[in-house]
Each structure stands twice: as structure tokens, then as C-alpha cells.
Amino acid sequence: MSHRYYQPEIETASREQILAWQKERLVKQVRHVWDHVPYYRKKMEEKGVTPDDIQEVADLCKLPFLTKDDLREAYPYGLLAKPLTDCVRIQSTSGTTGKRVVAFYTQHDLDLWEDCCARAIVAAGGTNEDVCHVSYGYGLFTGGPGLNGGSHKVGCLTLPMSSGNTDRQLQFMIDLGSTILCCTPSYAAYLAESVHDRGLRDKLKLKAGIFGAEAWSEEMRRNIEKQLGIKAYDIYGLTEISGPGVSFECEAQTGMHINEDHFIAEIIDPNTGEVLSDGQKGELVFTSITKEAFPLLRYRTRDICILTREPCPCGRTHVKMTKPMGRSDDMLIIKGVNVFPSQIETVLLEQGYPANYQILVDRVNNSDTLEVQVEMTAENFSDSLARITEMEKSLVSALKAMLGIYAKVKLVAPKSIVRSEGKAVRVIDNRKI
Ligand code: DLL
């Protein structure tokens, strides 16, 4: 691999070297935040911590956590660590869970963020010979701007498509020979379906996809890879910590390398806040050690995952995180049972259904109800009513085995569930309304 955005001196650095960078940057960052962010300084004072107490990465656990509630309380400027005149960009969360959060960037912050995205593109095989088709949304959402910037840095010919207008997406993909597709996995699945329906597979030059921003299963990965004839790479990130590229997959496809020279990751018990060791499942917490304008310390992502430092065949030494296995806050509690939408998706895909489904939760006579609406394939749709009822029954028992509770299943006509161009809306929880 030879590309200036594959940085072996950084990406394959020894553990000692990574810890040395982290230590130096963390000490500096804590001082920067203490000096410029009164909101966080107050939180530190309440905990009786000063910057002098933070001398090592191991001291991180002394610092208070930040949560989305803090970001809402401090909205819009309360966590800003640089004068607005030094900031050049604002991005915002997609708002799938509650009020939007705004994040600020200096030019230096944008550069670092784009470097991280460039590393992800290079890890997916990107070079200056590629045509990088960016179908993440542009605008306040970080997906489009992040991958766009990374693609420029790699030197790819960048197609800033944004999402939507599938006909135009496919036309450009064919005419301009797109080789790398960047979008949400649900939009990739939709594009793959459209390519299949229109018989366009042979006209495509795609070789890789960089899909993230929402949960997707291994089965979904295999389906997209097969339908588009590509290798599909996961990419993770969140607006609060910069955007896409906080971590990314390499060719091993066994977890996402976290850019540890910029972000320190911890896993905590979401109930007690206690720091867990590598290999244990818990909530992911990030500390930004190089950002200037919006440097969050110990930010609780609510994403549940596991960190691993097993050596990776790709040679990268940065810690790997599993795909988020759900969120500690959008985990559904149905009849007292914890249910993750990803568990439902796994069952559906295992049973041969497309990843087009909706989960409806309600409360009837003080009791929770769960219904899963799933699209049939075109072949199933012409089956007899008796056969469809049988299929529904079989899904009910597979879901019961996975979740431990009864879920009503309704098979619906192909393409009847509204498609998403960004993040899919999978759960409709009417209990909250
Ligand atoms: O979704 C940033 C992004 C854009 C990541 C494009 C990857 C690609 P937010 O809108 O702030 O930022 O949402 C962040 O999305 O806390 C996760 O719950 C979820 N998420 C992001 N990437 C993944 C992924 C962008 N690869 C929230 N797998 C995060 C599962 C993901 N969930």
C-alpha cells in the first residue's frame, strides 16, 4: 500500500508510541478545555479535578462525563473552546434521537476530520484513479461533507451526488464509471435493488462501498456485496466527535480501527459509569485530543460495542471497535425485555427477507405490543395465502427464539415500506406519543 493517506508511521505505530501521543495531547487538551470552556471547568470543579490531576491516559477516568443532555443544555455555544472568529464550519446531528446538536470546526479541525475520512477511503482501496460517488446527504449532516473532503485528499475524482434521485445516481454511476460508493447501508441496499431491477449490474464499475451512519448486519453486507459486486466497508462516526471517520474498516472486515492519534476510546458500564476492560461489552466513550473548536472530553456516545486489540492482518495497530450492537438509549424495552432493532434485522435476513422492515411498538390495555412489518420478495408475493400465513408463523417463532418475546409479524407487499435516502426510520414507538 503506498498512499500518503495511508500513514504507516501513525497507523501501525507501537502501543507505546500511541500512548505517548495520547498522553501528550490529552494533557494539553484538558488544559485548553479548562481555560476556555467554563461549562466543563465547572463540571471538573464539582468533581474536585484540576488539569494537574491529568498526567497520564490512565488519569482519564478522573474526568467527568459529557452527555447529549450537556450538549443540549450548553446549546449552541456553551462548549465552544475557540472564538467564533476562528471557526469556519458548523455541522449538526441528523436528529434521529431528539433535538439537534451543533458542532463547530476550525480549519485545523476540518483538516484532521478529512484526514480521518481519507484513511477510511484508502483502507477501502481508494487511490487517485478512483471515482468516488458520495451519496451521503450534504448540508448539516456530516456524511456528505466528511467523505467529500476525504475523497479530495486521496485525490479521487469526487462526485458530490448527495442522496436522492435514484435515476440520476445510476446514470452518473454508469456514465462516469463510479468505482467507490459512499452512502448509508439502507440507501446502498435500495440502490442495489434498483440496479438489480433494471438489469444494470454489468454496466457498473463499482469495486467498493463505504457504508455507515446506521446499524447494518453482516447479512445485509453480504447481500449488498453480492448484488453490486463490491467489497463493502463499514465506517463509523458521530457529529459530536467530528463526523464519519472516527473509525473505519480495513480489508479484514473484522471491526473498525479507531483513529487513536485523535480520539481516545473507553468502554464503560452504561449503568454505573465504571470503565470496563478490552473485550467487555459496554458504552463507547470518546475524548477528542486534537480538536480545537469543539473538544469533547469523555463524551458518552450511547453506542454499545466491544474494543479489541487483537493484532489485525492489515498491520494497523489502532484499537478496533465492533459494529455498534445497538444504543443504550434507543434500546427498546418491550414487556420488560431489552430489544435491539439489529436483533430483529438479523432474524429477517437469516430467513431470506430483504432488509426492508418497520418495527411498530404500542401499548394496548397497559401491555406492550410489538409488530414487525416485513416486505416480501417479489417471488413470495405471488404465493398462496396459506403459504404466506405459514411464513409469518415461522418468522414469529424465529423472532421469539431471538428476542424471548412474541412479536406479531405482518408480511407486506414488495416496495410498500417507504425507502430512505439517509438513515432508515426502522422503529415507530407509539407508546411515547
Ligand atoms: O452518522 C456520522 C456518519 C456519517 C458516520 C456517515 C458514518 C458515515 P450522526 O448523525 O451524529 O453522525 O450520528 C451518529 O450514528 O452515535 C451511531 O449510533 C450511529 N452510527 C454512525 N455510524 C455507524 C455505523 C453520523 N457504522 C450515530 N454503524 C452514532 C452503526 C452507526 N451505527
Side-chain angles (χ1 to χ4, degrees), residues 58-96:
D59 294 328
L60 197 56
C61 61
K62 297 178 186 164
L63 290 171
F65 291 117
L66 273 173
T67 64
K68 210 161 208 153
D69 287 341
D70 288 306
L71 268 63
R72 289 188 189 121
E73 201 180 316
Y75 175 90
Y77 302 123
L79 289 161
L80 193 60
K82 278 279 182 185
L84 271 182
T85 45
D86 289 355
C87 297
V88 296
R89 176 87 70 79
I90 288 175
Q91 303 283 167
S92 172
T93 56
S94 47
T96 43

Side-chain angles (χ1 to χ4, degrees), residues 189 193 217 219-221 223-224 227 344-358 372-381 383 387-399 409-414 417 419 426:
E193 192 178 78
S217 56
E219 289 86 347
M220 192 164 170
R221 185 206 306 262
N223 286 344
I224 298 172
Q227 280 180 308
I344 296 179
E345 182 173 314
T346 300
V347 170
L348 299 181
L349 290 161
E350 269 171 13
Q351 303 271 319
Y353 293 92
N356 300 318
Y357 63 93
Q358 218 152 36
V372 183
Q373 296 193 349
V374 196
E375 275 185 12
M376 282 178 271
T377 59
E379 297 83 64
N380 301 149
F381 192 47
D383 281 345
R387 169 81 190 113
I388 290 173
T389 312
E390 209 177 284
M391 284 159 51
E392 284 178 341
K393 272 194 190 151
S394 137
L395 256 185
V396 168
S397 40
L399 285 168
V409 169
K410 196 163 160 191
L411 291 176
V412 297
I417 292 176
R419 295 296 189 268
R426 300 285 194 210

Side-chain angles (χ1 to χ4, degrees), residues 144-285:
L147 269 306
N148 195 92
S151 171
H152 278 189
K153 288 209 165 187
V154 176
C156 303
L157 177 59
T158 309
L159 266 168
M161 295 299 302
S162 199
S163 52
N165 199 335
T166 302
D167 285 331
R168 194 180 55 191
Q169 300 274 357
L170 297 179
Q171 191 68 57
F172 272 122
M173 220 178 260
I174 292 166
D175 294 350
L176 302 173
S178 306
T179 54
I180 300 179
L181 172 64
C182 306
C183 61
T184 56
S186 45
Y187 196 45
Y190 178 51
L191 286 172
E193 192 178 78
S194 311
V195 164
H196 177 263
D197 290 352
R198 294 169 210 198
L200 298 174
R201 167 83 148 73
D202 292 344
K203 299 202 161 109
L204 298 182
K205 292 217 178 97
L206 286 179
K207 63 174 194 189
I210 303 179
F211 307 135
E214 64 182 359
W216 53 310
S217 56
E218 283 304 321
E219 289 86 347
M220 192 164 170
R221 185 206 306 262
R222 279 194 289 276
N223 286 344
I224 298 172
E225 286 188 330
K226 200 163 120 212
Q227 280 180 308
L228 289 177
I230 61 171
K231 187 154 175 164
Y233 297 82
D234 203 349
I235 183 166
Y236 169 90
L238 59 167
T239 317
E240 297 92 317
I241 300 300
S242 65
V246 170
S247 66
F248 60 86
E249 255 183 357
C250 61
E251 69 267 18
Q253 293 179 315
T254 50
M256 295 176 273
H257 291 281
I258 295 173
N259 282 303
E260 283 194 282
D261 49 330
H262 297 300
F263 315 108
I264 303 179
E266 298 169 278
I267 292 286
I268 61 158
D269 177 325
N271 300 315
T272 62
E274 179 206 346
V275 179
L276 303 178
S277 27
D278 289 349
Q280 286 188 285
K281 184 162 141 185
E283 183 180 337
L284 186 58
V285 173

Side-chain angles (χ1 to χ4, degrees), residues 298-361:
R298 298 199 91 202
Y299 181 66
R300 291 185 60 161
T301 63
R302 299 284 172 195
D303 292 317
I304 302 291
C305 70
I306 298 173
L307 296 182
T308 157
R309 290 182 199 278
E310 300 272 306
C312 185
C314 79
R316 288 178 182 79
T317 48
H318 290 203
V319 69
K320 282 200 286 195
M321 58 179 269
T322 57
K323 276 175 180 297
M325 298 153 163
R327 286 177 57 85
S328 60
D329 60 353
D330 73 8
M331 177 179 76
L332 296 161
I333 302 182
I334 301 170
K335 293 183 180 156
V337 175
N338 296 349
V339 173
F340 288 106
S342 55
Q343 294 175 298
I344 296 179
E345 182 173 314
T346 300
V347 170
L348 299 181
L349 290 161
E350 269 171 13
Q351 303 271 319
Y353 293 92
N356 300 318
Y357 63 93
Q358 218 152 36
I359 299 165
L360 309 170
V361 189

